[in-house]
Amino acid sequence: DTAVSQTPKYLVTQMGNDKSIKCEQNLGHDTMYWYKQDSKKFLKIMFSYNNKELIINETVPNRFSPKSPDKAHLNLHINSLELGDSAVYFCASSSQEEGLDTQYFGPGTRLTVL
Amino acid sequence: RKEVEQDPGPFNVPEGATVAFNCTYSNSASQSFFWYRQDCRKEPKLLMSVYSSGNEDGRFTAQLNRASQYISLLIRDSKLSDSATYLCVTDSSYKLIFGSGTRLLVRP
């Protein structure tokens, strides 16, 4: 009955590969997010979707492409992985009712690019 | 200048101590303020919102000083389970801006 779930939890891959991370929330929220937390622990937003529409797109390389098949899912596809992509990627969700600032995070996907 | 700045710590305190963290933010237009808690290798979780009048939740008290653009978190009677990283968070242009966190270690 996990509220926000992500798969995989760990991902180790070689430079140049393409990989995807999946996120699902069962809270009935209408807004979902992807964040990146680097080795210095800064948590920075990458993308935000509201009802399957992209509403925030930070200055992220276009190798990163989010996709929201429905409002309960937000996946992240990364092409041509680079060493600097190594980080923990968190998915989060929020609702208009509770306030978009109250965000519920998934457990994170620890990506290591070799 | 970072949008949200925090002392990274660690703050190393004995059980039962009172400890306070401050954070400063640069965007004077920020409207919402929060403290999130992040345990080692876990996701951030909302600890409490911060209101202009100050607010308290059990052993935790949060204060906001808009004039000086800083937010504080006071933890009284520290428990071992309070050991974590505390993230100061504000909003800007419909997104949350996180500080890099202040690490708290509570020792027996």
Side-chain angles (χ1 to χ4, degrees):
Chain A
D1 58 348
T2 308
V4 183
S5 59
Q6 294 179 227
T7 54
K9 194 164 180 182
Y10 300 95
L11 187 50
V12 181
T13 189
Q14 300 281 343
M15 271 175 61
N17 284 350
D18 303 337
K19 290 292 177 188
S20 290
I21 309 171
K22 296 188 175 184
C23 178
E24 176 181 1
Q25 53 94 5
N26 62 7
L27 296 166
H29 289 170
D30 45 24
T31 306
M32 295 184 72
Y33 311 81
W34 276 112
Y35 286 86
K36 177 181 179 180
Q37 189 169 41
D38 60 24
S39 57
K40 292 193 171 90
K41 304 301 180 190
F42 275 106
L43 191 65
K44 292 192 74 171
I45 190 163
M46 301 171 70
F47 302 102
S48 171
Y49 271 71
N50 179 263
N51 282 317
K52 304 194 301 172
E53 298 294 323
L54 180 67
I55 55 169
I56 292 175
N57 184 350
E58 291 295 286
T59 48
V60 176
N62 57 15
R63 297 182 295 104
F64 290 78
S65 49
K67 201 156 281 189
S68 181
D70 55 62
K71 71 176 195 177
H73 295 85
L74 180 61
N75 303 325
L76 183 65
H77 187 76
I78 315 171
N79 287 327
S80 304
L81 278 155
E82 299 178 357
L83 293 177
D85 297 333
S86 296
V88 182
Y89 292 84
F90 288 102
C91 176
S93 71
S94 65
S95 69
Q96 297 275 7
E97 288 75 28
E98 209 171 347
L100 295 179
D101 295 336
T102 302
Q103 296 185 13
Y104 294 80
F105 283 79
T109 296
R110 187 171 294 272
L111 171 65
T112 303
V113 182
L114 304 174
Chain B
R1 185 187 169 189
K2 296 190 188 93
E3 290 189 76
V4 177
E5 297 217 47
Q6 296 182 249
D7 180 344
F11 285 63
N12 192 322
V13 303
E15 261 188 298
T18 295
V19 62
F21 312 134
N22 288 333
C23 126
T24 57
Y25 62 95
S26 61
N27 185 357
S28 58
S30 291
Q31 295 294 317
S32 303
F33 306 90
F34 308 89
W35 284 100
Y36 273 70
R37 171 192 167 133
Q38 186 172 24
D39 292 296
C40 189
R41 300 178 83 85
K42 298 281 191 182
E43 71 273 23
K45 290 183 180 173
L46 178 65
L47 178 67
M48 59 196 301
S49 301
V50 186
Y51 303 119
S52 297
S53 52
N55 49 300
E56 194 172 303
D57 183 1
R59 297 181 294 108
F60 298 83
T61 300
Q63 299 260 336
L64 167 64
N65 184 320
R66 284 193 185 270
S68 304
Q69 292 182 207
Y70 82 76
I71 304 152
S72 64
L73 177 68
L74 181 80
I75 306 175
R76 287 182 298 279
D77 189 24
S78 300
K79 310 289 183 197
L80 295 177
S81 56
D82 293 335
S83 296
T85 296
Y86 291 83
L87 306 172
C88 175
V89 185
T90 71
D91 70 324
S92 174
S93 303
Y94 305 106
K95 57 183 187 269
L96 294 184
I97 307 296
F98 286 77
S100 58
T102 297
R103 194 160 166 232
L104 172 66
L105 300 171
V106 181
R107 63 181 188 272

